[in-house]
Amino acid sequence: MKILVFVKRVPDTESKIRISNETGKIIEEGLNFVLNPYDEHAVEEAIRLREAKGGTVTVVSIGTEEAMIILKKCLAMGADKAVLVKDEAPESYDGLRTAKIIARAVEKKFPDHTLLLFGKQSVGADNSQVPSMVAELLGLPQVNVVTKLEMEGNQGVAHREIEGALEKVEFSLPAVISAQKGLNEPRYETLKGIMMAKKKEIPVISFEELELKAEEVASGLEITKMESPPQKQTGKIIEEEPAEAAKKMVEFLHKEAKVI
Amino acid sequence: MILVFIEVREGKIKKFSLEALSEAKRRAEDLKTEVAAVLIGHNVENLASEVFPFGASKVYVLENSLLRNYSAAGYAHALHSLAEEIKPVAILFSASSLGKDFAPRLAAKLGVSVASDCTKTACRDGKLEVSRPIFAGKIFITLTLRSSPQIVTLRPNVFPLMEPGAKEGEMVKKEVVIPEDQVKAQVVEILKEEGAEIDVTEAEIVVSGGRGMKGPENFDLLRELTSLLPQSAVGSSRSAVDAGWIGHQHQVGQTGKTVSPDLYMAIGISGAIQHLAGMSSSKYIVAVNKDREASIFKVADFGIVGDLFQVIPYLKEEVKKVLSE
């Protein structure tokens, strides 16, 4: 099975995100960038499938040269190959734009790859759009937010998380799957893996090579404002005997907030 | 026309779909247009009348036995045909599990972008202008969509229901033809989670535990509280999930779920930034923590500095008292 995994470089979840007063955009300086946490589960699942069934794992990121660091990490985890599709544009928050680039890259460069794995969303844009859009553009079935995946030849069974339940979904390859936390426990890179990853070359693909025209990679979104949420006023914090404190809290919830 | 997709699960219309319909009605008044609803599935016609009181003057019913269970490709095929025919200016969905799966698939079929998980809508130059959280709510972004139809998903539990109005409207049944080869992924079974009838994203009250719970067995204290409170669910911080005390489906925060219940109770949760991101849009937040300096108190409307194991039993008693009044 030839597997493609799509990965994104994002600020880690402990980051405090600030907006520049001058540009109105996110201040990237000082942020710690990592492999998107959900993508880690996707990479892990791909490696496990290859270990069990054979095949190859190729990791692809769309972005600037700075994404090389997460591609190296994926190689160190055990991916066979990594490729960067170079995109110098700033974050557009437009899932369709990314999906178009990915769909074209698959058609042009990886037409024989049958399993397309993603994280269920990137932490940051929080769109949860790209996997479904890629599936549509390529005419493939999709199973998103997957916590269990079993493959037998070209047939697969996945558990998809929905509100308070799981959907058991049957599908056949080629297909798009997006990973949710709980799918697996991502491995750490080994020292040997890191050394091997250092030696591997990461090819860079340009938009020209993919014959992507400017209008195809234009953003469909017009951003009018970016801002931090208003600071919440601090409420009432009390330090009293448990019985008294509990009484006051419930009184607040009942009489003031009227939520109980 | 603004078209609103109405989600049906187990034969019932989801409340968040009526929220989306109500919001569509408010915007339609600004844009001087009508609101229509669309139901997709098998044997859903009988639900049509339920949408009229919430602002829809028309309801489209797209039925086919192949649509009995949800499939993104099948649903997108059905709604795509309708959208091409009636050319709505916007199509609204709820940002539920199904909506987040379906809306982008339809959008890609129509060749348009999507604004996901919006928490505010307005009108600007005859178009929708929406605001949505990014970085799980650390930042809010306001945007318009360049192409038509504008596809927007709305976060559940944020938009108020309108006062129910008209009881009647027009129903339009559409014959849908779904080529069998369109549906290549099939839901074959729904596996219910034990003791989790209400998901944290749908609950009106979320009682969450963190590292301060000290162990999996102590989450029973929170379950005792939620068993008293209607429409409530147990949530957790990431550290409790990573420690294996509770399943990841309960996790609230940046790598878990984003919730906006009427009441969020943070018990033994320090309030790491990635946790605050997932719950700070809750209408009311209360916290119990023994560390006075804990960040959770910065977002709490009411906080108790104290030992949760001493406070919770009293909280339970007080809640019982209030509920029996």
Side-chain angles (χ1 to χ4, degrees), chain B residues 8 11 13 39 42-50 61 63 171:
Chain B
V8 176
I13 288 177
L39 281 159
H42 184 62
N43 292 334
V44 289
E45 188 185 333
N46 59 317
L47 298 169
S49 61
E50 292 181 30
V61 179
E63 289 202 328
M171 183 173 79

Side-chain angles (χ1 to χ4, degrees), chain B residues 130-152:
Chain B
V130 296
S131 296
R132 54 168 304 239
I134 54 172
F135 295 94
K138 292 175 189 172
I139 300 289
F140 281 77
I141 185 170
T142 303
L143 61 98
T144 56
L145 292 160
R146 290 203 168 100
S147 39
S148 185
Q150 304 159 69
I151 299 195
V152 172

Side-chain angles (χ1 to χ4, degrees), chain B:
Chain B
M1 175 200 290
I2 299 179
L3 186 63
V4 180
F5 168 70
I6 304 295
E7 187 172 329
V8 176
R9 193 159 154 196
E10 290 169 355
K12 289 198 191 86
I13 288 177
K14 299 297 285 186
K15 177 172 163 268
F16 49 63
S17 291
L18 300 177
E19 294 167 9
L21 202 50
S22 302
E23 187 66 7
K25 179 68 178 169
R26 290 186 278 268
R27 290 296 77 82
E29 279 166 13
D30 302 339
L31 294 170
K32 303 196 174 39
T33 185
E34 298 282 294
V35 176
V38 57
L39 281 159
I40 304 177
H42 184 62
N43 292 334
V44 289
E45 188 185 333
N46 59 317
L47 298 169
S49 61
E50 292 181 30
V51 303
F52 298 131
F54 295 92
S57 53
K58 206 180 220 184
V59 57
Y60 293 93
V61 179
L62 312 180
E63 289 202 328
N64 185 308
S65 61
L66 278 175
L67 301 172
R68 182 184 320 241
N69 284 328
Y70 166 71
S71 95
Y75 270 43
H77 187 85
L79 191 47
H80 180 258
S81 315
L82 179 69
E84 291 280 282
E85 184 193 326
I86 64 171
K87 305 268 182 222
V89 294
I91 309 178
L92 267 49
F93 297 78
S94 293
S96 61
S97 295
L98 192 156
K100 283 196 248 183
D101 195 68
F102 176 22
R105 179 123 198 170
L106 173 73
K109 212 176 185 71
L110 290 163
V112 298
S113 302
V114 180
S116 286
D117 207 19
C118 299
T119 52
K120 209 169 128 190
T121 77
C123 288
R124 187 190 177 100
D125 306 331
K127 281 185 139 190
L128 292 177
E129 182 182 60
V130 296
S131 296
R132 54 168 304 239
I134 54 172
F135 295 94
K138 292 175 189 172
I139 300 289
F140 281 77
I141 185 170
T142 303
L143 61 98
T144 56
L145 292 160
R146 290 203 168 100
S147 39
S148 185
Q150 304 159 69
I151 299 195
V152 172
T153 72
L154 301 180
R155 176 173 291 185
N157 238 338
V158 169
F159 298 94
L161 285 178
M162 62 181 275
E163 281 297 322
K167 288 198 173 58
E168 274 165 43
E170 186 190 348
M171 183 173 79
V172 183
K173 271 188 83 168
K174 290 273 175 191
E175 197 66 43
V176 192
V177 185
I178 308 277
E180 291 253 2
D181 68 346
Q182 277 284 317
V183 182
K184 294 180 228 166
Q186 273 283 12
V187 176
V188 290
E189 199 183 344
I190 303 216
L191 312 161
K192 289 258 169 124
E193 238 174 84
E194 220 178 300
E197 287 83 27
I198 305 176
D199 192 68
V200 284
T201 57
E202 294 189 293
E204 286 168 16
I205 299 177
V206 176
V207 184
S208 277
R211 206 194 307 263
M213 296 306 294
K214 293 201 168 129
E217 65 285 358
N218 295 326
F219 274 79
D220 282 342
L221 289 170
L222 307 185
R223 290 185 193 105
E224 285 166 22
L225 256 178
T226 56
S227 70
L228 296 173
L229 296 163
Q231 293 299 311
S232 64
V234 172
S236 78
S237 71
R238 186 171 77 191
S239 49
V241 171
D242 288 350
W245 298 347
I246 190 163
H248 73 92
Q249 63 275 23
H250 296 274
Q251 185 185 323
V252 173
Q254 207 175 352
T255 49
K257 290 172 177 166
T258 306
V259 299
S260 48
D262 294 337
L263 170 61
Y264 190 88
M265 302 178 82
I267 313 293
I269 290 178
S270 61
I273 183 161
Q274 60 84 15
H275 185 77
L276 299 183
M279 45 64 84
S280 44
S281 64
S282 305
K283 285 166 200 93
Y284 285 94
I285 297 168
V286 299
V288 180
N289 202 296
K290 61 182 180 189
D291 176 12
R292 176 171 259 287
E293 301 305 316
S295 311
I296 194 75
F297 289 130
K298 292 201 185 99
V299 298
D301 298 285
F302 197 103
I304 296 176
V305 181
D307 179 353
L308 70 93
F309 295 101
Q310 287 181 23
V311 176
I312 300 290
Y314 288 110
L315 266 183
K316 230 172 65 189
E317 289 316 305
E318 293 297 331
V319 167
K320 266 190 209 160
K321 259 192 237 166
V322 165
L323 290 176
S324 65
E325 269 170 24

Side-chain angles (χ1 to χ4, degrees), chain A residues 201-231:
Chain A
E201 215 165 298
I202 299 180
V204 179
I205 301 176
S206 67
F207 282 179
E208 289 75 38
E209 259 179 280
L210 298 178
E211 291 170 42
L212 279 161
K213 298 187 200 82
E215 65 265 26
E216 289 177 286
V217 292
S219 175
L221 268 53
E222 188 164 349
I223 296 168
T224 48
K225 202 162 46 179
M226 262 174 116
E227 59 196 338
S228 301
Q231 278 272 324

Side-chain angles (χ1 to χ4, degrees), chain A residues 63-65 68 71 82-87 109 201-207 209:
Chain A
T64 62
E65 296 272 347
M68 286 293 184
L71 291 171
V83 173
L84 176 72
V85 176
K86 200 162 177 183
D87 177 13
K109 299 284 176 183
E201 215 165 298
I202 299 180
V204 179
I205 301 176
S206 67
F207 282 179
E209 259 179 280

